[in-house]
Amino acid sequence: MRRREKMAHAETHDPNTPLEYRSETGRLNILGFWIFLGAEIALFATLFATYMVLSHRVADGPALGELFEVESLLIQTFLLLTSSFTCGLAVHEMRRHNVKGLITWMAITLGLGLGFLYFEIQEFLHFIHEGANIGTSAAWSGFFVLVGTHGAHVTFGIFWVTMVLIQVAKRGLTPATSAKVFITSLYWHFLDVVWIFIFTAVYLMGMVTHNG
Amino acid sequence: MKWDEFFVTGDPMIYGADVSIVLTMVGILFYLTKYKKWKWLWDEWLTTVDHKKLGIMYIVSAVLMLFRGGVDALLMRTQLAVPEAKFLDSQHYNEIFTTHGTIMIIFMAMPFLIGLINVVVPLQIGARDVAYPYLNAVSFWTFFIGAMLFNISFVIGGSPSAGWTSYMPLASNELSPGPGQNYYLLGLQIAGIGTLLTGINFLVTILKMRAPGMTLFRMPMFTWSSLVTMVIIIFAFPILTVALALMTFDRLFGSHFFTLQGAGMDMLWANLFWLWGHPEVYIVILPAFGMFSEIISTFSRKTLFGYKAMIWSMLLIAGYSFLVWVHHFFTMGSGALVNSVFSITTMAIGIPTGVKIFNWLFTMYRGKIQFTTPMLWSLGFIVNFVIGGVTGVMLAMAAADYQYHNTYFLVSHFHYVLIAGTVFACFAGLIYWYPKMFGYKLNERIGKWVFWVFTIGFNVCFFPQYFLGLDGMPRRVYTYSEESGWGPLNMVSTIGGFMMGIAFLILVYNMYYSFRYAKRETTGDAWDGRTLEWSTPTAMPPFYNFAKIPEVTGLDHFWRQKQAGKVEKLKAEDIKPIHMPSNSGVPFIMASFFFVAGFGMVFEWMWMAIFGIIGVFGTLFYRSFEYDDGYYVSVEEVIETEKISK
Amino acid sequence: MANKTVANEHHGFPWKHLIGFVLSIVLTLFALWIALETDLSLTWILIIIFGFAFLQAALQLLMFMHVTENSTKSNLTSRVQIGNILFAAFVAIVIVIGSVWVMTAGHAKHDKDQHAPKTENHENHGGGSEHDSGEHGSHE
Amino acid sequence: MRRLKPFFTFGLLMAVFMLSGCSDMIVLDPKGPVGAEQRDLIMYSIWFMLFILLVVYALTAFIVYKYRDRKNHKGYDPDNEGSHLLETIWWIIPIIIVIALSIPTVKSIYSLEGPPEESKDQKPLVIHATSVNWKWVFSYPEQDIETVNYLHIPEDRPVLFKLTSADSMASFWVPQLGGQKYAMAGMETELYLQADEQGTYEGRNSNFTGEGFTNHTFDVMAMSDAEFEKWASETKADAPELSKGQYDKLMLPGHVKQMTFSSTHLDWVDHAKNPEYALDARERLGYEEKLPHSKAGKEEKKKREEEMKKLEESESHGDSHAH
Ligand code: HEA
Ligand code: HEA
Ligand SMILES: [Cu+2]
């Protein structure tokens, strides 16, 4: 095709509109990401269904609730809940055009996320040490794949947020970078939502049915 | 792994295939090099993000897959033509029906429809491209690579042989060792990523890229059906993704989801498979419904009857499609209550579908019906699809299904809906929009031959199968005894199958013939159409589709403008620079890494799999740092393009 | 919601976030307490803790994720976002409850594997004993 | 009119099929109350479906004929876009049809869960049917006998099949007696059947289980009560006992001829409780599933084919009930 000049895409300049909604691409990407989250809900629902159907089928391995510990659970939960909060603050700062605030809060979010991962891995190692791994029984397969998929999402999220922060640092807040930040924040909050259900359906239910 | 396990050997048919694959490859490479087409191939096709070109590539791949699946079908029919035939042995037969079913549904029907959606929907809504052109290319290439990965199983490593449903524990490592089943898992997984992305892409496209004035209730019916289909895709495909991943874990990493050991549960696979599988069959029928709505309305020269009811019935079907999956395993013993509930929800789908049927009929009522080939396929659809539909309702009656399940009655049902519904629509849509894609019509006279030979062959092939089913012939048997008495009807069925094959050959001939001899279209409105895709001045729309985005004032906007004699002429002063996305080679490269990863997983060569996955992530990260805002097409270029074609 | 500009929401102190955060902590602890420290029946525990989970999900969506926010002047996007999440919730509930129901109804009473050990003898008191009662000629 | 000819020809063809086929097709020619109930339901639904087809075809033929594009075309109304009355009609009539189909369906679903109505007060004969690639093992716990690949049942008495599988998911189906149900490892499903006529009926696994699936069949012989009792007691007295070793060999994928034993495998394993048994047995015997396209796999295939051929020959010689 013929030679054509490159130009930035047309943008809205209404000062009341948050940056991430100003460009057409930003708006489309954000809506698309919302819809992607709908697909993620179906994905996790399938994993939950699998887990719930299999959670009693322990063969000759340990029962699920037997190995769960409240302390580790609470640490992980609070780390993730707080990270969701700080992530929200980061976006709040972004909407005030405060790049430094954004980066600071996001960095804290990442730290909390790493902390979560650390405790999750510790917990997995503990379970494996106690004789429960992915091949122990259907119930444990369900557990490791459900919780592991969430963990893999968090891991991916940490890399992703880091990449986006690098871009913000390099390019400052533009409609393009701020849309990216906003999308990663949606992703991060969503992982918190999933964790709430893991907290409830896996850990609380596991402990209740085991004790009661 | 030994060599005798890597290359499939020992069968003249396979050697034949090996030779023809190598020859074709050499031929293509030679042609590309001799005529210096490499750059053209790369610039115009491999890196394109133009929805029309991607659509054409989808359709070409789907036609190839129809051929592959069709050859499989004819091989099966040959084996079944007479009792105790020795043409194929059991293992071969099993591989063939597995690849036939999988290829036809995943790599033929869906891509064909998605291809047509790609070509048509952005034009119908008056948009210059889809919402995410780059992602669209990723979708196509992951589909293509998934299909290729699945197809090479034929000559490398052996094909899967557990049926397209791959029930566990049959599909487990213990009972089906080797790469075959892995091909199924990885091929579908990779293609599934593309499908999910298509779902998101087109949902956003339809919601956000419509021309001004085109409210939701002014959208053409094909666009509506695409919208509803995308919703189903978005929520059904993740289920497949998970189900495939879990089985992959069972086979590769020793987990126990569906296995015999470790308290795994084989029923759960069936449950998850059909949680996706049932919505899937509506994914392949709803766009078909949309196309028939367009075609019937166009060639009756009349507004669609009951536009709103058509939309609500589709929304109902979409909602229901997630509530009926258990009808595929009524015989699993889930109890009377479960079976009753799912019997009723399943039958209820017949109601909105019936509404659509009658609305189509009454679209023709008081119309002026022109019997063009697309219209013939549509009429054939109505007449034949209802047979498939009502037998579907018979299957839905659980107590009776205990007798139909796993028999040829079922086989016949789903071919009646899949072929008379989906395949007829693919043919109809292809012929209808052919001038939009290539600038000329397919020859109508030859096209009518294709229609009659195919439709008659189709009925001759599948109608007897209802009776075979009622006579107790199970599906998936590679042969049967003389005493069973199934011989004559099977022979009839085989004859019908070959008639369809002949019709397919005539269709291909028609493409060649029309390419050589058909009169080229001079306007963009080949059929006196009603919707915006026909409003482009050139037969084939330019890459930016519309020099000036149309403003829509109602349903069938273009038709009404024509009626009122008010079709606007494009004026030079209306033209502004047009923003377009740039081409990118990244999707193709990313898909190639997917291939490497998939191939490694199939043979459990983990170093290779990890290399491929790193490559995939590498391309993702590369893309994340790429700030490409596309480019502007200058006013002069637009004027030039539009003038040249005038 | 439709015409509220998002701009005026983010100049002051982030009250919305703070309230959301505090509520989520409270709900979490409360659910934990209900589950582990009370003597409610299992059904009630499940109803309450899942109720809390859905509440918390709604909190995240409304307080942190701005699901009701529009990216354009028309309210199409917020309707799509909300509709999308609601349909996703519908599908999720069908998948989870449907699967559990279908995989246990009718099967559960026949599912002799549940607690059986992997030995070849099944004199074990577990699975299926209640259900065998109606049968003749027990095979044990 | 000419254009519609093929449709009519096709309708005619269909009618011929229907008329000639009905009585011959085994599903529509049941030999017991379960199959009869299903046949009745099927016939009931077929009338509805034929009615629906008739309506659709009549409308299609009429409209297509009347409104085809021709000279002096009448009644063209391009903006006619709907009719509330008509649309209400075709929402309501299908709803009524669906209700009319649902009621007998649900009734049958519930009634098929138990023994047939007419023989409710009779004690059903319990038979455990176990599928293993690619054979059927039948245990009669009361009679304490076991058969492979064939069944003897008394007529006019309900039989309660307790279905399970040692490996792949199979489906137990005797079309002339009634519909099928899955047999799954680690699971037990129940199916009531009954024969009202003496005779031999073909039964099979109808759910795909791999290479030997096509020949995964068995025979059901329905006989008088007295004959059945006689057969059972003779078998108990004459047939050899089933040894664990012999049973383990049955766990290997392959075909075997019909066999009879005077004890059952239920004494030491119930596959509904132990889904791993068959895999363990295969391991004990050193059996390993081969890749179908490897050399070893091809040899295995040849072996199985010969096995099958031998079986067919022995059966045609009539010594199928070898002990
Ligand atoms: C395009 C694909 C497609 C479509 C559209 C359908 C449509 C339907 N299908 Fe089909 N089906 C398949 C593809 C499809 N199916 C496939 C591939 C399988 C098998 C997979 C496998 O096992 O390999 C299958 C299997 C299958 C089964 C499982 C049977 C078994 O395994 O034993 C059942 C059971 O209920 C069923 C039912 C239905 C019903 C009720 C409809 C309805 O949607 C049909 C609705 C249409 C009508 C009813 C006709 C028009 C209506 C009127 C004229 C109005 C008046 C009518 C009434 C009121 C009844 N289908
Ligand atoms: C969209 C989906 C689709 C389509 C279009 C078709 C098309 C056809 N199918 Fe398909 N079929 C399925 C989906 C589909 N099928 C599925 C899902 C299954 C279940 C699989 C399973 O059990 O797992 C199935 C199973 C299935 C069976 C049952 C196998 C069994 O259970 O044992 C049969 C048997 O007759 C059959 C036949 C045919 C025929 C004759 C065609 C014809 O329409 C094909 C027409 C042919 C062509 C268009 C090709 C033309 C080719 C040539 C002209 C070249 C000639 C060359 C040579 C002869 C070498 N199919
Ligand atoms: Cu279905």
Side-chain angles (χ1 to χ4, degrees), chain B residues 132-187:
Chain B
Y132 317 113
Y134 172 86
L135 224 53
N136 207 10
V138 175
S139 287
F140 171 74
W141 288 110
T142 47
F143 144 71
F144 184 77
I145 285 300
M148 289 302 115
L149 184 63
F150 187 84
N151 272 277
I152 57 163
S153 67
F154 177 42
V155 286
I156 299 180
S159 297
S161 61
W164 86 286
T165 50
S166 288
Y167 272 21
M168 286 292 259
L170 175 62
S172 70
N173 254 339
E174 286 71 30
L175 304 184
S176 301
Q181 188 60 24
N182 296 347
Y183 272 117
Y184 171 94
L185 294 169
L186 274 304

Side-chain angles (χ1 to χ4, degrees), chain B residues 406-528:
Chain B
N406 277 332
T407 68
Y408 266 82
F409 191 92
L410 166 65
V411 172
S412 190
H413 154 68
F414 67 69
H415 284 94
Y416 260 89
V417 278
L418 278 167
I419 295 182
T422 308
V423 175
F424 278 26
C426 291
F427 289 159
L430 181 67
I431 299 167
Y432 183 57
W433 283 300
Y434 211 80
K436 265 295 114 175
M437 290 184 261
F438 302 107
Y440 55 90
K441 284 184 193 165
L442 285 175
N443 182 287
E444 286 276 295
R445 199 171 42 80
I446 307 179
K448 284 179 186 170
W449 273 99
V450 178
F451 169 76
W452 287 111
V453 177
F454 195 93
T455 308
I456 294 170
F458 163 68
N459 278 291
V460 172
C461 182
F462 293 107
F463 203 72
Q465 292 185 1
Y466 284 121
F467 300 93
L468 284 170
L470 290 175
D471 205 16
M473 180 166 172
R475 69 192 289 199
R476 294 171 172 174
V477 290
Y478 81 104
T479 192
Y480 51 91
S481 68
E482 183 87 54
E483 301 89 76
S484 64
W486 302 326
L489 285 184
N490 267 302
M491 180 50 104
V492 173
S493 177
T494 300
I495 292 170
F498 276 91
M499 282 175 75
M500 280 186 275
I502 291 169
F504 179 83
L505 294 181
I506 310 178
L507 175 74
V508 174
Y509 170 73
N510 196 7
M511 290 179 184
Y512 166 77
Y513 178 89
S514 308
F515 169 69
R516 291 292 300 273
Y517 305 112
K519 185 170 93 345
R520 266 45 185 174
E521 293 293 324
T522 50
T523 72
D525 192 11
W527 305 102
D528 195 7

Side-chain angles (χ1 to χ4, degrees), chain C residues 14-85:
Chain C
W15 283 112
K16 221 171 139 181
H17 290 92
L18 193 65
I19 295 169
F21 180 53
V22 172
L23 277 177
S24 66
I25 299 267
V26 170
L27 282 171
T28 306
L29 288 174
F30 205 52
L32 190 75
W33 180 75
I34 296 267
L36 299 184
E37 303 295 327
T38 61
D39 291 327
L40 291 170
S41 72
L42 185 62
T43 328
W44 274 110
I45 293 186
L46 292 187
I47 291 174
I48 296 174
I49 60 180
F50 275 98
F52 284 180
F54 276 99
L55 255 176
Q56 262 208 68
L59 268 180
Q60 293 272 341
L61 283 166
L62 295 170
M63 303 289 205
F64 293 173
M65 295 169 82
H66 315 280
V67 67
T68 57
E69 198 170 85
N70 279 302
S71 55
T72 47
K73 288 260 157 41
S74 84
N75 56 9
L76 178 77
T77 47
S78 71
R79 271 162 50 194
V80 171
Q81 280 158 205
I82 294 169
N84 173 59
I85 294 293

Side-chain angles (χ1 to χ4, degrees), chain A:
Chain A
M1 293 198 178
R2 249 151 271 135
R3 173 188 57 83
R4 297 183 183 102
E5 55 188 311
K6 288 203 168 188
M7 260 197 247
H9 198 0
E11 288 164 13
T12 319
H13 289 292
D14 176 4
N16 270 336
T17 311
L19 266 183
E20 63 268 25
Y21 290 150
R22 280 198 200 158
S23 71
E24 173 76 9
T25 331
R27 290 193 295 269
L28 287 177
N29 288 357
I30 290 168
L31 183 66
F33 196 77
W34 269 108
I35 289 162
F36 173 73
L37 288 184
E40 285 268 56
I41 291 176
L43 182 136
F44 276 102
T46 314
L47 288 169
F48 274 105
T50 305
Y51 171 80
M52 306 266 262
V53 167
L54 298 178
S55 62
H56 298 290
R57 303 175 69 99
V58 293
D60 41 7
L64 288 168
E66 201 175 311
L67 299 186
F68 293 162
E69 282 166 8
V70 180
E71 193 185 329
S72 148
L73 170 65
L74 274 183
I75 295 176
Q76 291 176 52
T77 306
F78 285 136
L79 284 172
L80 212 58
L81 279 182
T82 314
S83 80
S84 189
F85 173 57
T86 54
C87 179
L89 292 182
V91 171
H92 182 80
E93 292 304 323
M94 178 175 82
R95 288 193 167 175
R96 295 169 59 174
H97 303 280
N98 178 354
V99 183
K100 230 170 131 199
L102 161 67
I103 293 185
T104 317
W105 284 117
M106 268 302 187
I108 295 174
T109 306
L110 285 182
L112 292 167
L114 280 172
F116 168 84
L117 272 187
Y118 172 79
F119 283 98
E120 178 154 86
I121 290 168
Q122 285 299 318
E123 192 192 56
F124 277 18
L125 291 177
H126 170 70
F127 290 161
I128 291 167
H129 184 74
E130 296 287 317
N133 58 48
I134 191 171
T136 303
S137 64
W140 283 104
S141 300
F143 171 85
F144 277 105
V145 170
L146 168 58
V147 182
T149 305
H150 176 266
H153 272 72
V154 174
T155 314
F156 179 79
I158 289 173
F159 280 106
W160 190 16
V161 172
T162 313
M163 311 280 288
V164 171
L165 284 187
I166 293 173
Q167 293 171 34
V168 172
K170 266 172 47 184
R171 295 164 170 265
L173 276 182
T174 66
T177 53
S178 58
K180 288 187 181 191
V181 173
F182 190 73
I183 288 172
T184 50
S185 84
L186 289 181
Y187 182 77
W188 198 267
H189 294 307
F190 173 74
L191 293 183
D192 194 34
V193 174
V194 174
W195 181 258
I196 293 162
F197 283 94
I198 291 180
F199 171 81
T200 311
V202 177
Y203 288 95
L204 289 191
M205 259 179 82
M207 291 192 280
V208 172
T209 45
H210 185 68
N211 299 340

